[in-house]
Amino acid sequence: MALIFDIKRYAINDGPGIRTTLFLKGCPLHCVWCHNPESWKPQAEKLYKASKCIGCQSCVDVCPQQALQLTPDGIRPTGNRCVMCGRCAEECPTTALEICGREWSMEMLMNEIEKERDIMEQSGGGVTLCGGEPLMHPDYTLQLLRELGRRGFHRTVDTTLYAQPDMVDAVAEECELMLVDLKLIDSDKHRLYTGVGNKLILSNIRRIDKAGKDFLVRIPLIDGVNADDNNITASAQFVASLGQAQRLTVHLLPYHDVGKDKHRRMLPPTAYNPQGYRMEVPSEELQQHCKTILEHHGLHVVIGG
């Protein structure tokens, strides 16, 4: 069973209307700019917010494995003793410690989703599966989508499309919309910044396009990584070559560094952009310039979610 590490209610940027977004743990891509690094591993992990910690050592005292210690830098692990029992998070009086990722039975998960049914239906919204990468968990994702479909919810899947074609086909049949990132066109650069090449991703985009499935293309726009004329022009040419190009919407999503704080919250902390790549928020002028390039290829472009 896949682990869910967050449930976001009243989401307005994850598909049409007001939505409930489910974040599944595990992703085959490790994008340098990722704002959900806690989603990379499929296993449960501990998160620690030092600003909430009062140094009471409740977590240290309750741990049956003696896996935690209080240091001048706050709570830190002791070796690799943790068995992820969750006792430390349960005991923490300020929620400075939390376990990221938990199993949900289908019944419990549907009960949570049903709480927001009225507002989702009134707004033309639904449920979005996000991550991480939902396609890393084919059996669970399909089971979840089918149950949502049986209950009449609009289903959106936010995916990298880095998955085997048969899995892409199966998921596309069980949802009404797919949100697909187009990060970089050059496969070597894609591998440099995400850890994987993009040939499978581009092939799968063409696959769902040919099958007539509804999808949106989203470009995370990062000055220093992919906001140059060569990449934006190549991206425009690729999208314009798709059969659905005339009715597709391309969303430019300006970079932000919210992932930096999340890396600090990992226990132990991990490094954000350890290679020191240049990654900057694109200026409004650059955003408009990239939008213009895409529009010159006949594409409908929106800046933001």
Side-chain angles (χ1 to χ4, degrees):
M1 179 180 288
L3 302 182
I4 293 176
F5 69 91
D6 194 13
I7 299 177
K8 180 181 177 183
R9 296 172 175 81
Y10 307 108
I12 58 173
N13 295 316
D14 299 329
I18 297 174
R19 312 187 68 80
T20 295
T21 302
L22 310 178
F23 291 81
L24 279 66
K25 238 177 158 307
C27 187
L29 276 64
H30 291 175
C31 303
V32 177
W33 56 85
C34 181
H35 56 268
N36 287 331
E38 72 275 31
S39 74
W40 290 356
K41 295 180 181 179
Q43 303 87 6
E45 297 176 272
K46 286 199 295 287
L47 300 181
Y48 171 66
K49 196 164 188 177
S51 61
K52 284 187 170 185
C53 182
I54 59 175
C56 67
Q57 300 195 68
S58 296
C59 56
V60 175
D61 296 338
V62 78
C63 179
Q65 305 298 321
Q66 297 182 324
L68 295 171
Q69 58 183 325
L70 180 62
T71 75
D73 295 319
I75 296 297
R76 292 291 183 267
T78 303
N80 296 312
R81 300 174 184 175
C82 180
V83 296
M84 211 58 64
C85 68
R87 294 279 302 281
C88 56
E90 293 171 3
E91 194 71 18
C92 180
T94 63
T95 66
L97 270 173
E98 61 179 296
I99 301 298
C100 177
R102 58 171 284 197
E103 292 185 359
W104 288 76
S105 69
M106 191 62 66
E107 180 181 5
M108 290 176 61
L109 190 55
M110 290 302 129
N111 286 342
E112 286 295 310
I113 292 169
E114 289 284 357
K115 293 176 182 179
E116 317 299 339
R117 176 183 283 275
D118 288 348
I119 193 166
M120 287 191 280
E121 290 183 344
Q122 291 168 11
S123 68
V127 180
T128 298
L129 272 59
C130 188
E133 173 51 72
L135 274 66
M136 270 192 72
H137 313 284
D139 294 338
Y140 182 79
T141 292
L142 288 172
Q143 180 187 7
L144 184 51
L145 288 172
R146 287 165 182 154
E147 180 60 23
L148 290 168
R150 188 184 71 80
R151 292 170 180 256
F153 287 105
H154 180 279
R155 301 160 297 177
T156 294
V157 177
D158 184 350
T159 174
T160 66
L161 283 186
Y162 189 80
Q164 292 305 307
D166 59 342
M167 180 56 194
V168 172
D169 292 345
V171 168
E173 286 297 322
E174 296 294 342
C175 69
E176 284 69 53
L177 178 66
M178 301 181 96
L179 309 179
V180 181
D181 277 4
L182 184 61
K183 304 175 193 298
L184 285 146
I185 291 295
D186 183 276
S187 191
D188 290 336
K189 289 184 178 179
H190 194 281
R191 186 182 304 278
L192 177 68
Y193 290 107
T194 73
V196 303
N198 70 352
K199 291 182 180 179
L200 180 60
I201 293 170
L202 298 182
S203 174
N204 280 330
I205 292 176
R206 293 189 184 97
R207 188 178 187 89
I208 61 173
D209 171 64
K210 187 176 181 180
K213 303 303 178 182
D214 286 338
F215 67 101
L216 302 177
V217 173
R218 306 196 299 182
I219 300 176
L221 194 64
I222 309 165
D223 189 3
V225 175
N226 66 350
D228 56 281
D229 284 7
N230 287 340
N231 181 70
I232 297 300
T233 299
S235 299
Q237 291 170 343
F238 173 79
V239 178
S241 73
L242 300 175
Q244 299 187 55
Q246 295 304 309
R247 67 184 186 94
L248 276 177
T249 298
V250 178
H251 288 257
L252 293 177
L253 307 179
Y255 163 72
H256 55 76
D257 65 357
V258 67
K260 186 179 296 184
D261 182 62
K262 289 191 174 183
H263 275 278
R264 285 194 289 260
R265 291 186 61 199
M266 307 293 285
L267 198 65
T270 54
Y272 180 76
N273 187 18
Q275 299 87 354
Y277 296 128
R278 176 176 168 253
M279 299 192 303
E280 297 180 9
V281 177
S283 66
E284 290 190 14
E285 180 182 5
L286 181 56
Q287 293 175 40
Q288 290 297 328
H289 176 69
C290 293
K291 182 174 185 284
T292 299
I293 292 175
L294 291 158
E295 289 175 337
H296 280 170
H297 287 77
L299 302 173
H300 178 239
V301 185
V302 173
I303 295 177

